[in-house]
Amino acid sequence: MVDVEQLYKDYGVLADAKENASEHKEAYANILSASQGGQKEKRLAAQFIPKFFKYFLSEAEQVIDAQLDLCEDDDGLLRRQAIKELPNLCKDAPDHLPRIADVLTQLLQSEDQAEFNCVQNAFIAVFKLDAKGTK
């Protein structure tokens, strides 16, 4: 499993590569695997996964699954962070917008007020991207 130091290295590789980030699949794979790591690794993964998603659209199913795993974590702060990033996945892969909208609809059932607000804000952001796709 990757650690925080490795995640920052992988982030650096992808950030430095800019438009050529897609050439560094191993670095992104490490970031995806962090969604199954410890709490610190998961928090970084929740931020890094959406940031570089546009370079790895061919991995969309795996990427979205990893982000959704983070949305179901036991740590409320991590869940809110992962939920907040969901609209960013829709920007880069609009064909997955209905799936993200469905997940956000399910997450609206949260009893945690802060999480509910986060879900509501994410849902509004997704709706603004494509109102028809959120049906």
Side-chain angles (χ1 to χ4, degrees), residues 10 13 28 50 57 64 72-73 92 96 102 111 121 127 134:
D10 292 331
V13 166
Y28 197 64
L57 294 176
I64 292 170
E72 297 173 352
D73 196 80
D92 298 320
H96 293 282
D102 285 346
E111 294 178 14
N121 290 337
F127 187 78
T134 56

Side-chain angles (χ1 to χ4, degrees), residues 74-88:
D74 292 335
D75 180 350
L77 187 60
L78 174 58
R79 276 195 316 272
R80 290 192 299 275
Q81 184 177 1
I83 291 165
K84 180 181 159 191
E85 295 291 342
L86 287 175
N88 293 328

Side-chain angles (χ1 to χ4, degrees), residues 20 24-25 38 40 51-52 57 85 125:
N20 296 321
H24 301 280
K25 289 186 179 193
K40 291 177 184 176
K51 182 163 182 70
F52 298 107
L57 294 176
E85 295 291 342

Side-chain angles (χ1 to χ4, degrees), residues 8 10 14 29-30 45 52-53 66-67 75-76 100 108 110 115 133:
Y8 278 115
D10 292 331
L14 294 170
N30 285 341
F52 298 107
F53 176 50
Q67 193 72 15
D75 180 350
I100 300 295
L108 279 171
S110 175
E115 186 172 321

Side-chain angles (χ1 to χ4, degrees):
M1 197 57 61
V2 331
D3 61 8
V4 170
E5 185 178 336
Q6 183 61 49
L7 285 171
Y8 278 115
K9 285 180 185 176
D10 292 331
Y11 177 90
V13 166
L14 294 170
D16 292 344
K18 297 185 174 140
E19 295 302 316
N20 296 321
S22 62
E23 297 173 7
H24 301 280
K25 289 186 179 193
E26 185 178 336
Y28 197 64
N30 285 341
I31 291 171
L32 289 177
S33 73
S35 68
Q36 303 299 317
Q39 288 307 108
K40 291 177 184 176
E41 290 80 7
K42 287 179 182 179
R43 287 193 184 165
L44 290 174
Q47 296 171 44
F48 296 171
I49 288 171
K51 182 163 182 70
F52 298 107
F53 176 50
K54 64 184 170 188
Y55 303 112
F56 301 94
L57 294 176
S58 63
E59 308 292 325
E61 286 298 320
Q62 183 182 2
V63 171
I64 292 170
D65 287 345
Q67 193 72 15
L68 293 179
D69 285 346
L70 295 169
C71 292
E72 297 173 352
D73 196 80
D74 292 335
D75 180 350
L77 187 60
L78 174 58
R79 276 195 316 272
R80 290 192 299 275
Q81 184 177 1
I83 291 165
K84 180 181 159 191
E85 295 291 342
L86 287 175
N88 293 328
L89 297 178
C90 296
K91 287 178 188 173
D92 298 320
D95 50 320
H96 293 282
L97 190 139
R99 179 178 177 200
I100 300 295
D102 285 346
V103 169
L104 288 170
T105 301
Q106 293 171 18
L107 292 171
L108 279 171
Q109 298 176 25
S110 175
E111 294 178 14
D112 179 322
Q113 188 61 46
E115 186 172 321
F116 177 83
N117 291 341
C118 187
V119 171
Q120 191 173 33
N121 290 337
F123 196 73
I124 290 168
V126 167
F127 187 78
K128 286 179 180 178
L129 288 173
D130 182 6
K132 291 181 181 179
T134 56
K135 291 188 207 180

